[in-house]
Amino acid sequence: MKALRRHGRLLLLLATAALFGSSGWADAEGGATELGWTTRLVGEGHELRRDSPFAAGLPLTGFGRDRYRIEQELRGRAGPVSLLLTATESGQEGAKPNGRFLANEAYVDFSLGGQRVSAGKKVLAGDVGYAFRPIDVLQRESRMQMMPPQLEGIPMLSWDNFTTDGAWSLVIANPGHQKRGEARDDGSVALKLYRRITSADFHGVLRKSTRYGLEAGAATSWVPDEALELHASLLVQTRGERRLPMADTVPVAALLAADGAIATETVNSPRKALVGGTWTTAEGFSLLGEAWWDGTAPVATDWQRLARQAAQRAALLGLPGVPAAAVAGATAASTRMFDQGNLPRRGLLARLAWSEPGGGWSLSADLLRSLDDDGTTLTAAASWQGDRLRLDAGIRRYGGRVDSAYRLLPEAATAFVGVSLAY
Amino acid sequence: MFKRIAVMMLATLGLNALAADDGKVKTLLKQADEYRLALDSGRVETEVRSFKAGALDKTRLYAVYLKPGHRSLVLFRTASERGQKMLMLGDDYWLMMPSSQRPLRITPMQKLLGEASTGDIATMTWGEDYDGTVSGEETIDGVPCLKLDLTGQRKGVSYPRIVLYLSKKDRHPVQAELYVASDKLAKLARFTLGTVEGRKQVTVMTLIDHLQKERSTEVHYLSRSDKTLSDDYFNPAFLVRADLPQ
C-alpha cells in the first residue's frame, strides 16, 4: 500500500510537470485545463450484532467503527493529463481522524505515430454486470458497497486500436511488479477485445499474471428491444485462490494463533459466471435481476466452520492460562474471511429502482440472496440530484439463516447519509 | 373498358402525386434542417434550462459532436455531471459515468429517461430520420405554416411521430408536436430564430412537457462549428479515453 501511495505521489509530480510544461499539446488538440471540484461528506452509522460469535475480537477490527468521511475531489483535465485527486479525512469511533491524499488517476492518452497509447495511473474497469464482474480482472472493483470512495487506478501502459465496430488493447498493468499482497497490485499483461455486432456488445480478455497464470474471459451485453437489456459474463482461470478458515483438526492451541486463523488455498481451473438483465419502463421504473457463480468464493461449510471456531475461541475466554488478548487477536484475524469479493459462492440479486424522468429523485431497493446458505442482504437507498447539490441516504440490513455468511457478518445493519457539492 | 382505363390513369396520377409529395416533404425537411444544423458534421454547444412549475430548476451544459450515419457523442459539461459521455450510433446507445470508467450499453428507454432527454439535444436534423406528407396549412402564432405529418424511418428515433409546422414563407421550423411510441403527445417544441453570423438560425428550442405537465425545457444553442472528430471517437471502446477535445 505504501508503495502505491509513493507511486501515486510520483505520478502526481509528473502530472503537475505536464500541466505546466505541455500546454501546447493541449491547445493543438483543442483541449484546455478543465477541472471540477467536488466536496463530499458521508456520515455512517452501524449496528453491531450483539450475539456475534466474533464479539471478542471486534474491538481490534474496523467493524462498526466508521463514522464519517469528508472527501475533496479534483477531477478533470490539465493540459494532456487526466486527473482524479482526492483528499480524505475519515473518522472512526475511538480513533483520531485519519487523513489521506491520493492521486486516484493521473494519466495521459495520446497518439504516437498514429497509434493510440495510454500511460500513467488509470481506472481499468471492465465487464457488464452490476453485482459481480467476473472479467474485471485488472481493476478488481469491489461491488455492492454503500457510498463507496472513488476508484483508485492502476499504474499501466496500454496500446489501443480501434476499428469500425471493434477495438483491442494490449495492457501492461503494474509494470515491474511481480506478485504483491493484493491481486490488483500484481504485475500482469492483458489483451482486451471488443466487438459490436448489431445490438450486442462482446468483450473478451486474456490476462497473464504470476498469481493466477492465464485467465480468459468473455462477456456480452445485448439490447433486444427498447426496454430490455440482457448480459452475461464468464471467466476461466488457470488457477485461483480462495480464503478459508483453518482445518478443524488442528490442536486447540492453534485456535489462539492469529496467523493461522485464515488460510489461502489454491484452486485449480476455477470458473466465475454471471447472467442478468434489466427491464426499464417509460415511468422510470427498472428491474434488474442477476445470478452468479464464483468458483473461488467460500462454500456454506466454510462459513459454518468459521462460526464454529469463533465459538470455540469464545469458550476459551476465562480459562486458566488462556490470555484474553490471544483470543481477541485470533478472533479478529478470523474476520478477514469477510474481506473478499463474494461471500457466497452462488448468489442472486433483485433490484427495483425508480428514477424521476428528467432527473431529480432516485429510489432503489435491493435484495441480495445467497443460494448456498440462505443469507440475505436488504438495501434501500434514495438520492436527489440538484444543479450542484446531491443528497444520498440508505440503509442495509444483513440477515438470513444463523450460520449463513451474511448473517455471520459482525454488523447487523448499516446506514449512511451523503451530501455532495460540485463546483 | 373506358372505366378501367380511367381508374388506371387516376391511380397513376395518385402515385405520381404521392411521389411528388414525398420528394417535397424531403425537400421541406432539408430546408428546415438548415435552420438547426447546416452541416453534415459538427459540434454544437447547448445549454439546457429545465423549469419546474415555471421556476428554473436546473441548468445543464452539453457539447454534442454529430457525424453522418446517425452518430452523435454528447459530452456532459456541468459541474455535477462532468466526465459523463453518451454515445449514440443509430439505434444503439452507451453511457459512460466517470465514477466507473466503463462504457455501459443502455436501452432506448433508459436514454429517454435521462436528464433533459439527451435525444432532444443530439437530434439536430429531421431529413435523415423522418418522412411523411404535407397534411394542410395552419397559422401558428401569426405565422402561416405548412403542416407536415412525419413518421420516423428507423426504430431508434426518440419520437416515432412528429407533426411539424414550417413557415410557408421561408420554411423555418415554428412548432413541432412530438409523439412517443404509444402515440401520446409527449412534448410540444417551439423554435425561436435569431441571427448567427449573418444567417437565420434556431437559437432556442422550448419543449413543453405534456406527460409531466409542470415541466418545460429550453435548449439554447450557444454555438455551432464544423469541428469534427475522427471515427475512432464514435467507437464505444474509445469512451474510456480522455483525449477528447473538451
Side-chain angles (χ1 to χ4, degrees):
Chain A
M1 214 52 198
K2 277 181 183 171
L4 259 183
R5 280 183 202 151
R6 204 163 47 238
H7 206 91
R9 281 196 286 270
L10 176 65
L11 284 162
L12 178 64
L13 283 173
L14 287 172
T16 309
L19 165 62
F20 293 106
S22 306
S23 59
W25 187 95
D27 291 341
E29 290 292 305
T33 297
E34 187 173 311
L35 294 166
W37 186 277
T38 303
T39 296
R40 191 175 295 114
L41 169 64
V42 181
E44 298 177 51
H46 302 265
E47 180 192 341
L48 284 176
R49 198 172 283 287
R50 289 166 192 267
D51 59 351
S52 171
F54 306 98
L58 293 186
L60 301 178
T61 70
F63 283 106
R65 294 169 62 193
D66 290 335
R67 287 293 172 266
Y68 73 89
R69 196 171 84 226
I70 301 170
E71 283 176 354
Q72 306 298 332
E73 173 192 312
L74 187 69
R75 181 193 289 275
R77 185 174 153 136
V81 183
S82 296
L83 289 170
L84 172 59
L85 311 177
T86 54
T88 308
E89 181 188 298
S90 51
Q92 284 197 327
E93 187 181 272
K96 285 184 179 175
N98 180 41
R100 185 187 191 208
F101 174 76
L102 186 64
N104 299 61
E105 290 191 293
Y107 63 92
V108 184
D109 289 335
F110 59 101
S111 295
L112 193 67
Q115 303 298 311
R116 304 272 187 192
V117 181
S118 290
K121 189 179 180 188
K122 186 175 184 179
V123 169
L124 296 171
D127 215 341
V128 294
Y130 180 81
F132 175 42
R133 295 178 182 163
I135 71 162
D136 182 23
V137 290
L138 292 167
Q139 185 65 34
R140 296 182 181 275
E141 180 185 344
S142 296
R143 299 300 303 154
M144 304 302 290
Q145 289 183 291
M146 294 180 81
M147 203 80 187
Q150 294 297 332
L151 292 176
E152 182 179 354
I154 292 168
M156 52 76 73
L157 180 67
S158 81
W159 174 33
D160 305 329
N161 292 270
F162 300 91
T163 60
T164 307
D165 292 315
W168 61 266
S169 296
L170 188 63
V171 184
I172 301 170
N174 294 302
H177 289 200
Q178 290 298 314
K179 188 176 173 182
R180 296 288 174 113
E182 298 290 332
R184 73 185 299 280
D185 299 331
D186 289 350
S188 67
V189 178
L191 177 66
K192 294 173 73 175
L193 307 163
Y194 167 75
R195 177 91 173 125
R196 178 168 73 96
I197 301 174
T198 62
S199 57
D201 287 347
F202 296 90
H203 304 266
V205 67
L206 278 171
R207 177 177 181 258
K208 181 82 172 70
S209 66
T210 307
R211 185 186 303 257
Y212 298 129
L214 190 66
E215 298 174 275
T220 184
S221 175
W222 176 42
V223 175
D225 74 19
E226 66 165 16
L228 184 66
E229 184 271 345
L230 300 171
H231 53 264
S233 185
L234 172 70
L235 180 74
V236 180
Q237 297 175 290
T238 305
R239 57 183 172 273
E241 289 178 346
R242 73 186 198 97
R243 285 184 185 174
L244 70 170
M246 65 171 64
D248 270 339
T249 52
V250 298
V252 173
L255 284 171
L256 300 178
D259 287 351
I262 298 296
T264 300
E265 181 184 75
T266 299
V267 185
N268 289 320
S269 307
R271 282 152 173 75
K272 304 178 180 196
L274 172 136
V275 292
T278 308
W279 178 60
T280 310
T281 73
E283 293 73 30
F285 289 96
S286 67
L287 182 64
L288 165 75
E290 286 185 336
W292 71 89
W293 161 274
D294 181 351
T296 60
V299 293
T301 51
D302 293 331
W303 293 108
Q304 289 158 10
R305 180 148 45 108
L306 183 79
R308 196 162 54 241
Q309 289 172 357
Q312 287 170 344
R313 288 188 187 98
L316 294 174
L317 266 177
L319 291 181
V322 177
V327 172
T331 306
S334 73
T335 63
R336 284 193 293 118
M337 185 76 176
F338 295 105
D339 187 19
Q340 53 186 309
N342 283 320
L343 301 189
R345 181 162 290 196
R346 296 176 300 148
L348 278 178
L349 172 75
R351 176 183 168 84
L352 179 64
W354 175 77
S355 294
E356 187 181 2
W361 285 97
S362 294
L363 307 171
S364 67
D366 298 4
L367 169 64
L368 190 62
R369 184 158 180 82
S370 159
L371 297 178
D372 292 337
D373 54 19
D374 297 329
T376 55
T377 296
L378 275 166
T379 309
S383 68
W384 177 80
Q385 177 69 63
D387 228 4
R388 293 179 181 277
L389 182 69
R390 181 184 169 89
L391 304 174
D392 289 275
I395 185 163
R396 174 171 291 174
R397 181 161 282 280
Y398 303 99
R401 215 173 71 194
V402 173
D403 59 359
S404 66
Y406 293 132
R407 177 65 173 75
L408 283 172
L409 271 162
E411 293 180 5
T414 181
F416 75 92
V417 290
V419 182
S420 305
L421 198 57
Y423 306 96
Chain B
M1 184 66 181
F2 178 77
K3 200 173 175 181
R4 188 180 290 174
I5 291 170
V7 168
M8 283 175 70
M9 284 176 69
L10 279 171
T12 308
L13 281 171
L15 283 173
N16 283 340
L18 272 178
D21 198 38
D22 180 50
K24 186 182 173 189
V25 167
K26 280 286 183 192
T27 305
L28 288 170
L29 291 179
K30 197 169 167 51
Q31 289 172 322
D33 285 343
E34 293 284 312
Y35 290 92
R36 301 179 75 201
L37 186 73
L39 302 159
D40 287 335
S41 302
R43 181 182 197 269
V44 182
E45 290 268 358
T46 59
E47 181 184 87
V48 177
R49 299 177 192 165
S50 304
F51 296 84
K52 214 171 180 176
L56 181 63
D57 183 34
K58 286 174 198 168
T59 303
R60 296 280 185 260
L61 287 167
Y62 303 94
V64 185
Y65 287 89
L66 298 141
K67 280 204 118 175
H70 305 108
R71 291 180 291 173
S72 52
L73 175 63
V74 182
L75 308 181
F76 295 62
R77 307 197 59 180
T78 309
S80 60
E81 300 179 322
R82 189 177 284 115
Q84 282 186 48
K85 298 169 193 168
M86 181 177 279
L87 178 65
M88 302 181 218
L89 301 178
D91 301 337
D92 300 316
Y93 314 100
W94 293 263
L95 179 68
M96 204 206 66
M97 303 294 285
S99 56
S100 71
Q101 288 290 333
R102 65 186 186 111
L104 182 69
R105 190 180 258 270
I106 60 170
T107 63
M109 192 66 78
Q110 287 169 319
K111 183 202 73 168
L112 265 181
L113 294 170
E115 291 261 355
S117 183
T118 35
D120 289 330
I121 55 168
T123 307
M124 292 291 292
T125 55
W126 292 299
E128 261 193 291
D129 294 339
Y130 291 91
D131 205 348
T133 57
V134 179
S135 61
E137 295 184 7
E138 274 186 38
T139 299
I140 305 290
D141 295 337
V143 181
C145 292
L146 293 172
K147 182 182 178 185
L148 278 61
D149 275 319
L150 304 175
T151 309
Q153 299 298 295
R154 59 185 185 89
K155 67 173 185 175
V157 292
S158 296
Y159 306 104
R161 187 163 86 87
I162 293 179
V163 177
L164 178 64
Y165 297 87
L166 301 182
S167 157
K168 275 181 75 175
K169 187 180 163 193
D170 59 8
R171 314 303 195 216
H172 80 258
V174 177
Q175 180 175 293
E177 295 161 9
L178 310 172
Y179 293 84
V180 287
S182 59
D183 210 33
K184 275 185 188 168
L185 175 61
K187 292 171 186 171
L188 185 72
R190 289 176 183 275
F191 302 91
T192 306
L193 252 57
T195 303
V196 180
E197 294 174 354
R199 289 172 55 98
K200 270 191 173 180
Q201 294 271 278
V202 172
T203 52
V204 183
M205 174 171 69
T206 304
L207 294 160
I208 299 153
D209 204 314
H210 277 240
L211 298 179
Q212 299 179 80
K213 297 283 184 194
E214 79 283 12
R215 284 189 179 272
S216 65
T217 306
E218 286 179 3
V219 180
H220 293 252
Y221 300 101
L222 304 179
S223 70
R224 298 169 173 88
S225 74
D226 58 1
K227 191 170 185 173
T228 188
L229 297 173
S230 71
D231 287 345
D232 283 356
Y233 289 78
F234 294 86
N235 185 319
F238 199 91
L239 292 175
V240 300
R241 290 185 62 91
D243 42 8
L244 288 164
Q246 295 289 305

